[in-house]
Amino acid sequence: MGVVIVSVVFCVLSYYLSNISAGNNVKIAMDFILSFQFFITAVFSILMVSGSFHKDLNDKVIYLLYSKPITKVEYLTGKVVGFFSVLAFLSFILFLINTSAILIINKISSLYVPHIVLTERTFIFSLLLTFMGLLLISVTTLFSVSFSSSTLAMLVSFLVFIIGLELSPVKELVTASKLVSEVNKIIVKVVYYVFPNFSLFDVKTIVVYHFLKFSPFFVSGVIAYSVIYSIFLILISLLVFERKEL
């Protein structure tokens, strides 16, 4: 509920910020809203996953569950399904709030505004890719919880998320520079392919500037990347959690 309220407040704030900024206020508002949506929902995902395990351990809920005919794998699988369901519902609610805000700003704006159908179409693609990014960050947090405490997992997951957002621009900058040694370029490339690349899910530029089209290959590739990476981390988390002493 808190995330929804903050989202509404930020949508209102984005309108006033866009009015005092140079350029098309509709595009600026869309940029603010989409940037905020991905960041705040990612932070919520991290807090939700790490906080859920912390609460279960502190309240002894997990021990009560283990007194019944349920395995650690079943417990963790149920958690994953629950997390995904909450994220899907939250993403849908924020999608409704954000698109409504953009439509209202479109209506009251005195400048040129993009076509409504085109705006909605790109917003739907943005919702889909944002949701896939949220799945990956939640699974990354789950993976961290399997190896460490909830607090440490939360910090590690947040750092991984921040690093993942900057992977693509850093890689392009380093590989194109003649001042960077080949060893450092190799290290950056290894990190680029090993760390979850959250910059793939940040598509606000494509949504805001409609001359950049959504490629079906790009969308399907990003979805496949999220699914494969998530399945890999879930399988490792299940193996580790099965052997973990609680």
Side-chain angles (χ1 to χ4, degrees):
M1 186 63 182
V3 177
V4 175
I5 295 175
V6 172
S7 180
V8 173
V9 172
F10 193 86
C11 286
V12 176
L13 180 62
S14 66
Y15 170 70
Y16 289 102
L17 290 175
S18 65
N19 283 333
I20 62 176
S21 303
N24 190 317
N25 58 343
V26 177
K27 291 184 177 181
I28 294 172
M30 290 174 66
D31 197 309
F32 282 148
I33 290 173
L34 290 175
S35 298
F36 171 79
Q37 173 184 324
F38 187 44
F39 183 80
I40 195 63
T41 48
V43 172
F44 172 79
S45 302
I46 295 172
L47 295 177
M48 177 185 66
V49 175
S50 58
S52 177
F53 285 100
H54 179 72
K55 181 176 175 59
D56 283 358
L57 289 173
N58 278 1
D59 295 346
K60 310 298 182 183
V61 174
I62 194 169
Y63 301 109
L64 177 62
L65 291 174
Y66 285 163
S67 66
K68 304 187 180 299
I70 183 174
T71 64
K72 291 182 180 180
V73 172
E74 291 172 337
Y75 164 78
L76 196 62
T77 303
K79 282 285 188 181
V80 171
V81 174
F83 294 149
F84 288 0
S85 300
V86 171
L87 290 176
F89 178 74
L90 177 64
S91 297
F92 179 70
I93 294 299
L94 292 182
F95 168 74
L96 294 179
I97 294 173
N98 294 336
T99 49
S100 299
I102 292 299
L103 291 176
I104 293 173
I105 295 174
N106 276 341
K107 195 72 174 178
I108 63 181
S109 175
S110 58
L111 298 177
Y112 168 77
V113 295
H115 195 279
I116 297 300
V117 175
L118 185 58
T119 300
E120 288 300 302
R121 185 183 305 163
T122 53
F123 255 71
I124 291 174
F125 280 118
S126 174
L127 169 69
L128 176 60
L129 295 185
T130 298
F131 176 65
M132 299 309 298
L134 294 179
L135 294 187
L136 184 54
I137 186 60
S138 63
V139 171
T140 302
T141 308
L142 177 67
F143 177 77
S144 301
V145 170
S146 302
F147 287 93
S148 60
S149 65
S150 298
T151 303
L152 182 59
M154 178 180 63
L155 295 175
V156 170
S157 300
F158 184 74
L159 288 175
V160 170
F161 173 66
I162 297 299
I163 293 173
L165 282 177
E166 303 299 327
L167 277 180
S168 291
V170 169
K171 176 179 174 289
E172 292 176 4
L173 182 63
V174 170
T175 53
S177 176
K178 297 180 180 180
L179 302 177
V180 181
S181 66
E182 291 300 322
V183 174
N184 289 332
K185 288 183 179 181
I186 293 175
I187 293 175
V188 169
K189 288 181 180 180
V190 170
V191 172
Y192 177 82
Y193 290 109
V194 172
F195 267 69
N197 189 355
F198 293 106
S199 62
L200 294 174
F201 308 98
D202 187 10
V203 292
K204 62 178 180 294
T205 302
I206 302 178
V207 177
V208 174
Y209 302 99
H210 294 291
F211 58 83
L212 297 174
K213 304 298 183 181
F214 267 109
S215 167
F217 297 102
F218 172 76
V219 175
S220 59
V222 173
I223 293 175
Y225 173 82
S226 177
V227 171
I228 294 173
Y229 208 125
S230 297
I231 291 175
F232 176 73
L233 292 182
I234 289 174
L235 291 177
I236 295 179
S237 300
L238 289 173
L239 293 174
V240 174
F241 201 78
E242 178 66 25
R243 294 166 174 77
K244 185 177 181 180
E245 291 293 334
L246 300 176

